[in-house]
Amino acid sequence: MTTEKKLTGAGLLFNVLEQHGVEHVFGYPGGAIMPIYDALYDSKVEHFLCRHEQGAAFSAVGYARASGKVGVCFATSGPGATNLITGLADALADSIPVVAITGQVATAAMGSDAFQEIDIFGLSLACTKHSFQVTDINDLAKVLHQAFAIALEGRQGPVLVDIPKDIQITEVNRSLDELVNLENKVKLPPANVGSAIALLNQAKQPILYVGGGVGMANAIDELRDFAKITGLPSVSTLKGLGAIDPEDENYLGMLGMHGTKAANIAVQECDLLIAVGARFDDRVTGKLNEFAPHAKVIHFDIDTSEINKRRIADASILGDLKVNLPALAIPLAIKPWQAVCHEMNNNFAWDYNHPGESIFAPAVLKEISDKMPENSCVTTDVGQHQMWAAQHMVFDDPSNFLTSAGMGTMGFGIPAAVGAQVSRPTDCIIAVSGDGSFMMNVQELSTIKRFQLPVKIVLIDNAKLGMVRQWQDLFFNGRLSETDLADNPDFIMLANAFDIKAKMITKKSEVSAAIEEMLEHDGPYLLQVKIDAQENVWPLVPPNTANDKMMEST
Amino acid sequence: MNNYQLMITADDKQVVLERILQVTRYRGFLISGINAKVNTGTNIGTIELLVRSERPIELLVDQINKLIDIKEVKVDNSAS
Ligand SMILES: Cc1ncc(C[n+]2csc(CCOP(=O)(O)OP(=O)(O)O)c2C)c(N)n1
Ligand SMILES: [Mg+2]
């Protein structure tokens, strides 16, 4: 007969994870987290071994973004913990609920420069929403509950819990605390509903400016109803894509540095800007004091600190979008303005004519978008391919387009796709990557192999750090510095080494069949799409320029 | 440069001062003076922070308020 094992701090961790409905975690073991990996053995939680802690953090982010659940990642102390930091920063910038658990050296050794000791708690201050270091076993359960509550409450974000090794092995009693729901910590002032309604009624040329907050608030239906009832012409940020119904006739597309001409001109001409879960990011506004220069602003958000941060709001509507959007959904008399916007949409539609044999990436991405199954989820890396995906693919939900928006982190796409696929095993997950970004977390192909994840990778290969090359050509007198990747590895051989089926295409005539083969393939697949290195992303609003002064070609 | 005086009350956690200082620096406020103490009975810390910046103080107040361990932030308008 076996005697019942005593519950330890490590075991308690898994009990709390299970209590919060956590089924999957992404991580990498090491000395200071070994008791947790030992307790994993007895837990129902399924662990996905990534091949770098950054991969684990991004997989947790992708998991959270694709599913709406909290993403969880584990890392050991020292280098394991520091490797998480980029992923946490990314989650902070995009407000993604992630709980990161790090092992720490034993409390007695802390502060002695012990082996693999780093002050991750100190390091976490600038890259998490909140963080904890547990130094008393009696605090462990409460801290873990708080970590989940804080990750999800108000504006969501990453929380780190650092657990010293001795706490992991200390025995605890078995009873579990009740789950508690946290209220939004910051007490919100009452919404200026009256003045917002007055602004709406006065406006002749209003624009709805939709950000990532809509998806985070799970307020897509409320937003679409609001757009329909008001009839507002709308634009979206990169992270907001998918919130507005892409079929909405008043939708003008993405705004900002690589936004559509229609969206940027409409915003510059509008007399009222209704910002919903958006934060006037510099990639959206261009030159701030020339952004929407004639507009009054109504600002909806859950985070008080976003109001008046970069643009003064004439009316602020703080709180839950699910409640506040319906309160302002009134029909507006803006027919002439709608007509102006429709005309711009027609006049400035994308042009897919592209001379010559070489493959046109925007057309490839559009074709993938047209052919991919319903409820596919696309992740991207960062660069030209990312902007082309945002411009030319169509998304009907923000959880179907995962891109590193606020941080712009290369290396995001592949591990985020891993997380997305784990959370949605039957949906088609497509990672659109670049030849530079792909190499930043290429080790995660091993995770794809290990778990036989049927992720489809579309590698837009210009043998360049294309976005930087574009800027060097346009703004640095063509002085190309360290952006050539002519010595890239053989990507097909590389994929094959991980048991991933792969194919390279170089000509337009090969595109359609290759896309179909990829989408029909039952398993992971890499499609390497060779494109001309000189292709640029258009339109482009040059840095520190008003958004209507966009460049459309060289 | 404008001078401001903030009165902050917070749960007494070791790290809370670090958090306040990090946010203050990052958001573009220079610290002219600081005075911090803890009421051991209530475990509530009070921090008096003298800061200066070109930026409006509301930006910093909102950011400090968001920190989880902060109970209240008040601006003393008598400082100039
Ligand atoms: C981690 C990181 N390092 C550097 C950058 C700066 N950067 C932005 S885009 C880019 C080039 C990306 O190249 P690639 O992935 O091939 O995409 P392309 O622009 O060629 O489509 C670089 C270096 C970044 N965004 N992230
Ligand atoms: Mg490239």
Side-chain angles (χ1 to χ4, degrees):
Chain A
M1 242 188 66
T2 53
T3 49
E4 203 194 342
K5 251 172 124 181
K6 288 264 167 47
L7 186 69
T8 61
L12 179 68
L13 164 70
F14 286 101
N15 289 355
V16 176
L17 292 182
E18 285 170 25
Q19 212 181 345
H20 285 272
V22 174
E23 295 172 278
H24 308 110
V25 303
F26 303 89
Y28 209 96
I33 198 168
M34 283 185 69
I36 288 176
Y37 273 82
D38 185 63
L40 170 69
Y41 219 82
D42 302 322
S43 155
K44 290 200 271 295
V45 171
E46 193 179 352
H47 179 271
F48 290 81
L49 180 73
C50 301
R51 294 307 174 92
H52 188 296
E53 290 84 354
Q54 185 181 113
F58 281 141
S59 290
V61 169
Y63 184 93
R65 293 180 70 159
S67 67
K69 298 187 220 158
V70 177
V72 180
C73 54
F74 288 175
T76 192
S77 66
T82 56
N83 275 347
L84 289 180
I85 283 181
T86 304
L88 295 173
D90 196 272
L92 184 66
D94 283 343
S95 309
I96 309 303
V98 165
V99 170
I101 307 288
T102 48
Q104 181 55 279
V105 302
T107 41
M110 278 165 55
S112 73
D113 309 310
F115 177 64
Q116 294 192 329
E117 182 188 9
I118 192 75
D119 179 17
I120 189 66
F121 189 37
L123 285 168
S124 72
L125 299 189
C127 64
T128 59
K129 181 177 176 188
H130 195 61
S131 49
F132 297 92
Q133 186 168 58
V134 182
T135 49
D136 181 341
I137 182 69
N138 296 312
D139 294 340
L140 181 62
K142 186 170 140 225
V143 160
L144 290 167
H145 287 308
Q146 282 179 330
F148 277 87
I150 291 167
L152 286 170
E153 63 100 359
R155 180 172 178 174
Q156 305 178 353
V159 179
L160 179 130
V161 184
D162 193 35
I163 312 179
K165 197 168 181 178
D166 53 317
I167 303 288
Q168 297 172 35
I169 57 179
T170 304
E171 283 177 15
V172 282
N173 71 34
R174 288 187 168 266
S175 70
L176 281 177
D177 300 345
E178 296 276 300
L179 293 184
V180 281
N181 280 327
L182 273 197
E183 294 275 300
N184 193 349
K185 195 211 151 239
V186 180
K187 290 284 158 278
L188 302 175
N192 303 143
V193 175
S195 41
I197 299 257
L199 288 170
L200 278 169
N201 279 323
Q202 282 155 23
K204 300 207 161 45
Q205 307 196 153
I207 288 283
L208 176 60
Y209 154 40
V210 175
V214 173
M216 303 313 297
N218 209 1
I220 292 153
D221 291 345
E222 288 78 4
L223 178 85
R224 291 182 180 182
D225 286 347
F226 180 76
K228 196 175 261 150
I229 294 166
T230 57
L232 280 165
S234 56
V235 299
S236 174
T237 68
L238 179 61
K239 216 197 133 200
L241 292 176
I244 286 281
D245 178 358
E247 310 273 284
D248 184 331
E249 55 171 6
N250 297 312
Y251 176 52
L252 299 161
M254 183 168 79
L255 85 165
M257 184 174 272
H258 292 293
T260 65
K261 191 168 178 179
N264 278 333
I265 291 180
V267 169
Q268 288 307 92
E269 290 182 356
C270 77
D271 61 358
L272 176 67
L273 196 58
I274 301 117
V276 182
R279 59 187 175 89
F280 297 86
D281 178 82
D282 55 277
R283 285 298 190 265
V284 157
T285 61
K287 192 172 188 180
L288 184 60
N289 55 18
E290 291 176 25
F291 177 67
H294 319 296
K296 295 240 158 76
V297 171
I298 302 175
H299 197 165
F300 287 77
D301 214 289
I302 189 78
D303 181 353
T304 318
S305 70
E306 289 302 342
I307 308 294
N308 301 335
K309 185 181 82 175
R310 291 194 22 99
R311 174 80 179 235
I312 300 291
D314 298 277
S316 62
I317 310 285
L318 280 156
D320 188 350
L321 294 177
K322 285 178 94 70
V323 178
N324 286 337
L325 282 169
L328 274 106
I330 51 168
L332 303 175
I334 49 170
K335 278 244 149 56
W337 173 235
Q338 286 175 334
V340 170
C341 290
H342 294 169
E343 197 180 317
M344 282 201 286
N345 250 349
N346 291 334
N347 292 347
F348 307 137
W350 296 117
D351 179 5
Y352 293 98
N353 286 316
H354 180 264
E357 269 295 279
S358 80
I359 297 178
F360 186 44
V364 174
L365 293 168
K366 180 182 187 308
E367 188 170 341
I368 293 173
S369 180
D370 290 342
K371 288 183 172 163
M372 67 192 185
E374 222 175 283
N375 223 22
S376 292
C377 173
V378 174
T379 74
T380 77
D381 267 299
V382 173
Q384 294 182 308
H385 63 279
Q386 174 193 31
M387 290 300 116
W388 285 322
Q391 291 174 331
H392 302 286
M393 300 184 85
V394 177
F395 305 103
D396 58 4
D397 196 288
S399 65
N400 287 338
F401 183 54
L402 317 184
T403 193
S404 172
M407 197 56 43
T409 317
M410 290 170 69
F412 177 88
I414 306 299
V418 166
Q421 189 77 75
V422 168
S423 77
R424 289 163 48 178
T426 57
D427 286 336
C428 172
I429 311 292
I430 302 172
V432 176
S433 188
D435 51 311
S437 300
F438 180 70
M439 294 299 288
M440 279 226 181
N441 271 318
V442 70
Q443 79 287 343
E444 296 310 315
L445 295 183
S446 220
T447 314
I448 290 176
K449 172 178 180 211
R450 187 184 185 92
F451 298 100
Q452 291 294 301
L453 301 172
V455 169
K456 314 291 183 245
I457 300 167
V458 178
L459 182 60
I460 304 293
D461 180 8
N462 47 15
K464 295 274 184 232
L465 298 174
M467 186 58 95
V468 182
R469 192 277 309 150
Q470 177 171 349
W471 278 52
Q472 288 173 342
D473 271 332
L474 296 177
F475 309 123
F476 290 84
N477 299 320
R479 287 157 59 91
L480 303 183
S481 176
E482 300 298 325
T483 46
D484 183 67
L485 301 181
D487 55 352
N488 270 328
D490 180 330
F491 290 117
I492 303 301
M493 247 165 91
L494 181 65
N496 289 341
F498 293 94
D499 286 350
I500 295 172
K501 185 164 185 201
K503 178 178 203 134
M504 178 172 80
I505 55 174
T506 57
K507 297 195 293 283
K508 280 198 177 80
S509 56
E510 299 170 295
V511 168
S512 294
I515 290 174
E516 277 151 31
E517 179 179 321
M518 172 183 79
L519 292 174
E520 276 159 25
H521 180 68
D522 181 23
Y525 192 102
L526 181 139
L527 178 61
Q528 180 186 1
V529 182
K530 295 286 286 178
I531 64 165
D532 189 308
Q534 298 313 311
E535 296 282 357
N536 288 328
V537 181
W538 304 119
L540 162 68
V541 179
N544 208 25
T545 304
N547 276 351
D548 50 353
K549 303 199 178 71
M550 75 239 353
M551 301 168 68
E552 294 178 81
S553 65
T554 37
Chain B
M1 283 279 183
N2 300 307
N3 290 296
Y4 307 100
Q5 183 171 356
L6 297 183
M7 283 294 292
I8 304 166
T9 48
D11 283 333
D12 174 35
K13 299 261 175 73
Q14 285 298 319
V15 72
V16 80
L17 256 187
E18 265 176 274
R19 290 192 197 278
I20 292 169
L21 296 179
Q22 189 262 336
V23 166
T24 304
R25 172 183 53 74
Y26 171 64
R27 297 292 171 179
F29 291 77
L30 298 170
I31 295 173
S32 318
I34 179 165
N35 184 8
K37 50 187 177 296
V38 179
N39 179 329
T40 42
T42 56
N43 277 334
I44 303 279
T46 48
I47 300 116
E48 250 180 79
L49 200 60
L50 287 166
V51 295
R52 54 187 204 281
S53 180
E54 302 291 353
R55 301 184 179 182
I57 192 65
E58 292 74 24
L59 292 184
L60 181 60
V61 171
D62 284 346
Q63 294 294 344
I64 293 180
N65 245 325
K66 276 206 305 188
L67 296 173
I68 303 293
D69 299 325
I70 300 298
K71 294 195 162 312
E72 193 183 26
V73 186
K74 277 199 291 212
V75 187
D76 183 346
N77 287 320
S78 59
S80 65

